């Protein structure tokens, strides 16, 4: 069963945060190579908590974000391109192996892997210089190439979808979308000759204005990206489930595709910790489910396997109660 087919029948549960469980371990994507069992164990924990979908540990694994990091000595001679390839290839394989293992144990609940592509450390819509509004750290083509380099590997390794998430700048997201379309145009097939990975998009709203950092409203963002025919458009991160309701409702009303939502466990407190417990968060996201606003639900910063397990229990109770509202597209 493919991801699109699964979404026709039920709401799917996405995993939670990777970084919350890697605190103090350094650059997380490097752990794909140096501590693969640590990454495996996190994927396994989310799958055992009931997640239908897990995301690869590749959020910042493209050359723009990695440019500020020193290459590990063992990769110095091969260069950044080889390093990016290895990080992403390892990231997909770790997730794929765990998802396939769990699918074999529970064939009635197939598990899916999406290649996680986060924003870069640069923006195309905004200048980094207060003295020169036209200045940009890199060009559209340079950003597209960075995304292309990463997405080629994700597609080759057989992810079920590629997720451009935590989108704060629509122009940067368009570079990612064009990179995806370029990879798809090369007709790279997924592992085993499966169909090409779907495209998923997820924006982040900044403050109570409900706009992206680059200024667009939810509706304007949707209108800007529908040309790509994504599998889903969603909202993630931001400021917790409680504050996302009005923006998620607006997204559900205008999106011509499936809708996802994976919010933070509230806002970080003065100690950098997230206060929304699994019980608090599931009470909030259940409203999204009951309203018929979402097809995919999960967690972002501060969420753990306990949060995902609580969401699994909630979704199962909804289904067993003969609740049958699925937002179909």
């Amino acid at each position: 069963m493919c991801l699109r087919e699964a979404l026709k029948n039920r709401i799917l549960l996405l995993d939670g945060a990777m970084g919350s469980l890697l605190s103090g371990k350094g650059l997380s994507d490097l752990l794909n190579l140096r501590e693969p069992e640590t990454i495996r164990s996190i994927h396994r924990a989310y799958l055992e908590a009931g997640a239908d979908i897990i995301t690869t540990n590749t959020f910042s694994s493209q050359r723009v974000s990695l440019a500020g990091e020193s290459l590990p000595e063992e990769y110095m001679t091969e260069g950044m391109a080889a390093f990016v390839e290895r990080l992403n290839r390892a990231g997909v394989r770790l997730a794929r192996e765990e998802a396939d293992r769990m699918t074999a144990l529970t064939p009635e609940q197939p598990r899916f892997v999406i290649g996680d592509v986060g924003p870069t450390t640069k923006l195309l819509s905004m200048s980094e210089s207060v003295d020169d509004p036209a200045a940009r750290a890199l060009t559209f083509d340079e950003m597209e190439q960075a995304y292309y380099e990463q997405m080629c590997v994700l597609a080759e390794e057989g992810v079920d979808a590629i997720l451009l998430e935590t989108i704060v700048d629509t122009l940067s997201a368009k570079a990612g979308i064009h990179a995806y379309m370029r990879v798809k145009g090369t007709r790279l097939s997924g592992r085993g000759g499966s169909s090409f990975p779907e495209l998923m998009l997820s924006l982040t709203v900044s403050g109570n204005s409900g706009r992206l950092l680059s200024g667009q409203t939810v509706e304007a963002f949707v209108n800007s990206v529908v040309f790509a025919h994504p599998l889903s458009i969603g909202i993630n991160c931001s400021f917790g489930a409680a504050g996302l309701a009005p923006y998620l409702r607006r997204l559900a009303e205008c999106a011509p595709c499936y809708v996802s939502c994976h919010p933070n466990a509230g806002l970080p407190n003065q100690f950098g910790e997230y206060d929304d417990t699994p019980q608090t968060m599931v009470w909030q996201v259940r409203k999204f489910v009951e309203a018929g606003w979402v097809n995919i639900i999960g967690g972002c910063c501060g969420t753990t396997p306990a949060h995902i397990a609580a969401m699994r229990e909630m979704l199962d109770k909804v289904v067993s109660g003969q609740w049958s509202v699925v937002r179909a597209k």
Side-chain angles (χ1 to χ4, degrees):
M1 179 183 290
C2 69
L3 186 56
R4 185 176 290 272
E5 284 296 315
L7 281 166
K8 290 180 180 178
N9 301 313
R10 59 194 175 95
I11 293 173
L12 298 184
L13 181 58
L14 185 67
D15 60 7
M18 177 69 70
S20 299
L21 304 182
L22 291 175
S23 179
K25 286 189 173 288
L27 192 63
S28 66
D29 47 11
L30 187 57
L31 298 178
N32 291 342
L33 302 174
R34 293 193 165 170
E35 294 188 36
E37 190 49 45
T38 297
I39 303 303
R40 283 182 191 277
S41 67
I42 293 173
H43 288 319
R44 193 176 306 130
Y46 280 121
L47 289 164
E48 291 174 350
D52 299 296
I53 306 169
I54 56 173
T55 52
T56 59
N57 183 40
T58 54
F59 182 82
S60 59
S61 299
Q62 30 66 26
R63 65 169 57 240
V64 176
S65 295
L66 292 170
E69 304 290 337
S70 298
L71 277 178
E73 186 175 347
E74 61 266 39
Y75 301 104
M76 291 292 286
T77 57
E78 297 177 88
M80 182 62 77
F83 185 50
V84 166
E85 178 182 349
R86 291 195 184 188
L87 284 177
N88 285 279
R89 206 170 293 284
V92 177
R93 290 179 180 180
L94 292 170
R96 185 86 263 172
E97 288 167 8
E98 289 302 316
D100 289 351
R101 181 188 65 82
M102 186 61 76
T103 295
L105 293 174
T106 59
E108 72 284 356
Q109 183 188 1
R111 311 303 173 99
F112 303 96
V113 173
I114 57 179
D116 197 359
V117 179
T120 72
T121 52
K122 306 296 181 182
L123 299 176
L124 291 179
S125 294
M126 301 169 69
S127 173
E128 294 184 344
S129 172
V130 295
D131 298 319
D132 185 1
R136 296 295 184 270
L138 71 169
T139 66
F140 183 95
D141 289 346
E142 288 170 333
M143 184 167 284
E144 182 193 12
Q145 180 61 29
Y147 278 131
Y148 175 80
E149 193 173 59
Q150 180 181 21
M151 291 179 183
C152 278
V153 181
L154 297 176
E156 286 173 357
E157 286 297 322
V159 296
D160 297 292
I162 291 175
L163 170 64
L164 269 166
E165 68 161 315
T166 321
I167 295 170
V168 297
D169 172 20
T170 306
L171 188 57
S172 298
K174 282 191 173 183
I177 291 169
H178 280 275
Y180 169 86
M181 296 173 76
R182 185 174 152 208
V183 176
K184 189 172 183 179
T186 65
R187 301 187 181 277
L188 291 172
S189 62
R191 188 180 56 179
S194 61
S195 59
F196 194 81
E198 299 271 9
L199 175 65
M200 302 169 66
L201 305 170
S202 185
L203 62 91
T204 294
V205 294
S206 178
N208 293 329
S209 68
R211 295 173 180 267
L212 280 70
L213 185 63
S214 57
Q216 281 193 306
T217 63
V218 169
E219 294 86 351
F221 175 80
V222 171
N223 287 333
S224 297
V225 300
V226 289
F227 73 92
H229 303 292
L231 174 69
S232 66
I233 300 175
I235 302 178
N236 76 286
C237 201
S238 306
F239 31 74
L244 282 185
Y247 313 116
L248 184 62
R249 176 182 57 79
R250 285 162 48 188
L251 175 61
E253 289 172 350
C254 70
C257 57
Y258 294 117
V259 170
S260 68
C261 184
H262 54 293
N264 290 347
L267 286 170
N269 59 29
Q270 63 269 38
F271 304 108
E273 299 170 344
Y274 293 83
D275 293 329
D276 281 6
T277 65
Q279 293 73 29
T280 299
M281 194 168 180
V282 80
W283 180 80
Q284 294 165 347
V285 301
R286 180 173 181 173
K287 298 176 183 178
F288 304 163
V289 173
E290 291 176 334
W293 293 341
V294 292
N295 305 96
I296 302 170
I297 195 77
C300 200
C301 304
T303 57
T304 67
H307 290 82
I308 300 308
M311 292 185 201
R312 176 81 276 158
E313 183 179 6
M314 178 268 292
L315 289 175
D316 289 346
K317 285 182 178 179
V318 164
V319 171
S320 64
Q322 304 305 305
W323 181 90
S324 59
V325 176
V326 175
R327 187 177 185 278
K329 284 289 179 184

